Amino acid sequence: MKAQFLSTVLFLLIFSALNAQPKYEFRGTWVATVVNIDWPTKPGLNSETQKKEAIQIIETQKDLGMNAIILQIRPAADAFYASHLEPWSRYLSGSQGTAPDPYYDPLNFWIEECHKRGMELHAWLNPYRVAQNAEDPLAATHIAFQHPEWILKYGNKLYFDPGIPEVRTFIAKVVSDIVRRYDLDAIHMDDYFYPYPLSEPFPDTTSFFMYNRGFKPEHLADWRRENVDITIKMLNDSIKATKPWVKFGISPFGVWRNIADDPNGSETTAGATNYDHLYADIVKWQKEGWIDYCLPQLYWFIGHPAADFEVLVNWWKKHTYGRSMYIGLAPYRIDAESQTPEWRDPAQVPTQIRLLRSTPGMDGEAFYSSKHFNRDLLGFQDSLKTDLFRKPALVPPMPWLDNTPPQPISELKKRGRKFSWDTKEASKELDKAWQYVIYLNELDEAFDPGSAKFIYAVQKGKEIKLERINKKRKEYEVRISVLDRLNNESKISIPVQIKL
């Protein structure tokens, strides 16, 4: 029955999606560094090997049609970048506090390599996690030794106590430092706020006693949620005060609340939820405008009995509140040997993408995680390259951050199959040319600037050599537009004809 449903959905959506790829669509991939999930493949690799692995990931994702990398740069109160506040990550060198050898700055390297290829770099941080394993030695300079009262052990992991005001101030300081010194596109956080509950209670009795702000013990959950609320607002304020164009995104667990616990919740029966177990009121942050995008992790299949992908997509579309909404997808589950029939079906994730495209309010997707694109995904990579992501897409603009388009190109020059152009200088960061869109259409074909069909390339450089398309040459029109770094688009240039 489920297989029949999936086939029906696919049949209905494939025709509406054919030749209708969106011009604007977020396409991201997570690159996890905690315990070396994706990169580097193991700790202690020399710097050149780390760089080669990074470039391979970036180029693979670019080839698949992605336009953003979500790189984990602070997995556990440590750093994949030069920091005076936190030590180098053990997942780089094998020893926390030890810099890469020979020295380089991984975050800066990833940013430069992504930007060269026209991709965004979203810097992914975990706010409260201090150590994946409480037995792992911390660097001598670690903030935990300066402020042991900030640290809690829960299970076999260490966490900052979110109830302590100085902890929140420190996290905001870390984020402000990153935003100030690096040319990144976004700060990103996932679902790990308060940790997923264990059989033991979270040990924040002392901080509640000292900093309860008038909350009574029976309202401990509300106090915890407000602690996270305060952190999120502080982070957004500090990011925007430092660089107004840097986005702030959250990728929460896929269920806010079950309908059994809240009439506004989703028709799900998830065992854990953002609101009740992680104390993350993501809907409030959307309503208040404290975040720029929400990226719920919907790692379930269509028709899942406890958390149906389609049900959750339709729930989240009602909770965008004027902000961008992307959806996290799970290629890591695709497996010909899976015990779950739906994940043995090659149509599952492509159908999910088509479903998102047919749902108003959905602006794209991200995939967990990069290493899985190096294995057999039942043809999914080919589906992306030859169909779903056949044309490049632009990351959707965010008009609440900036809605002023940049100046158009000043002149388009043609020499054979080579085109070059100039742009006007701009003093303000948000007015500067960031990338260029090259459009191509047959001479007798009506040009539609809103259609991805006519996008030939999106690039950084101010020149391009067009490739021959047919053995029998045809007349084409070439147009160029300018994008600023938030993907506001300039007026498109008047067409220039060429025979290809």
Side-chain angles (χ1 to χ4, degrees):
M1 187 69 181
K2 290 178 183 175
Q4 183 181 1
F5 169 78
L6 192 56
S7 298
T8 302
V9 172
L10 178 59
F11 177 79
L12 292 173
L13 292 178
I14 191 167
F15 291 103
S16 63
L18 194 62
N19 297 321
Q21 180 182 297
K23 177 178 177 178
Y24 294 97
E25 182 175 53
F26 183 83
R27 301 172 180 172
T29 299
W30 279 283
V31 179
T33 59
V34 65
V35 299
N36 301 100
I37 289 174
D38 290 308
W39 179 85
T41 51
K42 61 181 179 180
L45 297 175
N46 64 51
S47 297
E48 287 308 307
T49 302
Q50 291 179 8
K51 290 178 181 180
K52 287 178 182 177
E53 289 186 351
I55 288 173
Q56 182 180 26
I57 292 170
I58 295 167
E59 290 192 338
T60 295
Q61 297 307 314
K62 177 67 176 178
D63 185 53
L64 289 168
M66 306 301 171
N67 53 29
I69 292 288
I70 305 170
L71 175 68
Q72 191 174 32
I73 67 161
R74 183 185 183 260
D78 53 3
F80 274 74
Y81 59 95
S83 173
H84 67 283
L85 297 171
E86 295 184 306
W88 287 101
S89 177
R90 70 178 71 256
Y91 306 121
L92 276 171
S93 66
S95 175
Q96 192 176 81
T98 301
D101 184 26
Y103 179 83
Y104 81 111
D105 188 313
L107 175 55
N108 195 56
F109 179 81
W110 275 83
I111 291 171
E112 289 181 351
E113 295 299 321
C114 284
H115 285 177
K116 279 181 194 175
R117 295 163 176 82
M119 302 173 76
E120 291 191 349
L121 191 286
H122 292 218
W124 167 18
L125 294 80
N126 294 84
Y128 300 130
R129 187 165 59 205
V130 174
Q132 269 291 94
N133 187 335
E135 307 305 316
D136 287 341
L138 301 177
T141 58
H142 201 288
I143 193 73
F145 295 118
Q146 299 173 45
H147 293 283
E149 73 279 8
W150 292 3
I151 311 301
L152 298 175
K153 183 180 179 184
Y154 186 55
N156 194 40
K157 298 181 181 180
L158 300 180
Y159 298 91
F160 285 117
D161 186 342
I164 298 175
E166 290 80 7
V167 163
R168 299 191 289 267
T169 300
F170 176 73
I171 294 168
K173 187 177 180 181
V174 168
V175 171
S176 293
D177 174 63
I178 297 167
V179 173
R180 178 177 56 82
R181 292 190 296 116
Y182 292 92
D183 191 25
L184 47 83
D185 300 286
I187 290 291
H188 176 98
M189 290 182 177
D190 59 18
D191 51 322
Y192 289 99
F193 290 98
Y194 277 82
Y196 283 85
L198 305 174
S199 57
E200 61 190 270
F202 189 72
D204 55 358
T205 306
T206 300
S207 58
F208 180 76
F209 175 77
M210 295 177 66
Y211 307 108
N212 57 58
R213 299 186 301 277
F215 282 92
K216 298 184 183 302
E218 58 267 29
H219 297 140
L220 175 65
D222 294 325
W223 174 75
R224 287 174 175 169
R225 272 186 289 274
E226 189 173 88
N227 291 334
V228 184
D229 290 347
I230 293 168
T231 300
I232 295 299
K233 186 176 188 306
M234 284 179 69
L235 292 176
N236 186 57
D237 289 347
S238 63
I239 291 166
K240 297 306 187 288
T242 306
K243 289 180 181 174
W245 59 88
V246 173
K247 309 165 193 177
F248 184 27
I250 304 290
S251 178
F253 180 72
V255 177
W256 175 67
R257 298 194 84 185
N258 295 313
I259 197 166
D261 301 311
D262 190 317
N264 294 316
S266 53
E267 290 274 3
T268 52
T269 54
T273 67
N274 287 288
Y275 186 93
D276 297 293
H277 301 94
L278 307 178
Y279 306 101
D281 190 356
I282 183 74
V283 170
K284 179 178 181 178
W285 309 340
Q286 291 274 98
K287 286 181 179 177
E288 296 291 340
W290 293 343
I291 60 176
D292 298 303
Y293 70 80
C294 181
L295 208 175
Q297 299 169 28
L298 303 193
Y299 297 162
W300 300 284
F301 55 81
I302 295 170
H304 191 287
D308 183 339
F309 179 88
E310 186 174 10
V311 166
L312 283 164
V313 166
N314 287 320
W315 187 89
W316 283 103
K317 79 174 182 182
K318 299 174 184 176
H319 298 280
T320 60
Y321 304 104
R323 294 296 190 254
S324 292
M325 180 68 69
Y326 316 137
I327 296 297
L329 304 180
Y332 75 92
R333 291 190 184 273
I334 299 172
D335 187 349
E337 305 299 322
S338 174
Q339 297 300 305
T340 305
E342 288 80 1
W343 295 116
R344 299 196 300 267
D345 186 345
Q348 179 63 230
V349 178
T351 302
Q352 292 181 355
I353 294 171
R354 292 186 175 98
L355 179 61
L356 294 178
R357 287 180 174 175
S358 68
T359 304
M362 294 294 157
D363 301 314
E365 53 277 323
F367 303 94
Y368 189 85
S369 63
S370 68
K371 72 176 182 180
H372 294 279
F373 288 98
N374 298 323
R375 64 176 178 84
D376 178 17
L377 294 179
L378 308 182
F380 181 53
Q381 295 93 325
D382 287 340
S383 293
L384 292 178
K385 288 193 284 188
T386 64
D387 179 15
L388 294 163
F389 290 0
R390 184 178 70 258
K391 286 286 188 177
L394 309 180
V395 174
M398 294 185 172
W400 57 92
L401 297 181
D402 175 51
N403 62 359
T404 303
Q407 290 294 309
I409 65 170
S410 53
E411 186 179 3
L412 181 57
K413 305 167 190 173
K414 172 190 164 190
R415 186 173 181 180
R417 289 185 286 124
K418 187 175 181 180
F419 288 81
S420 61
W421 54 91
D422 295 317
T423 55
K424 297 175 182 177
E425 292 294 324
S427 57
K428 295 181 179 178
E429 183 67 27
L430 286 172
D431 295 333
K432 294 178 180 177
W434 185 248
Q435 292 191 110
Y436 305 95
V437 184
I438 296 88
Y439 295 98
L440 184 71
N441 62 283
E442 292 187 22
L443 185 60
D444 59 354
E445 186 176 25
F447 172 67
D448 177 4
S451 172
K453 175 183 178 181
F454 299 108
I455 297 178
Y456 179 84
V458 181
Q459 64 177 47
K460 294 288 284 184
K462 295 182 182 180
E463 63 178 37
I464 188 169
K465 185 175 182 181
L466 303 187
E467 299 296 326
R468 296 199 185 279
I469 297 175
N470 302 295
K471 289 182 180 179
K472 186 177 180 181
R473 297 171 70 191
K474 291 184 177 182
E475 292 281 350
Y476 291 87
E477 291 180 328
V478 176
R479 296 169 172 85
I480 310 288
S481 69
V482 181
L483 300 175
D484 65 20
R485 65 181 306 150
L486 283 170
N487 285 325
N488 294 300
E489 187 174 17
S490 73
K491 291 182 179 178
I492 300 174
S493 67
I494 60 173
V496 172
Q497 292 185 18
I498 185 174
K499 186 174 282 188
L500 291 173

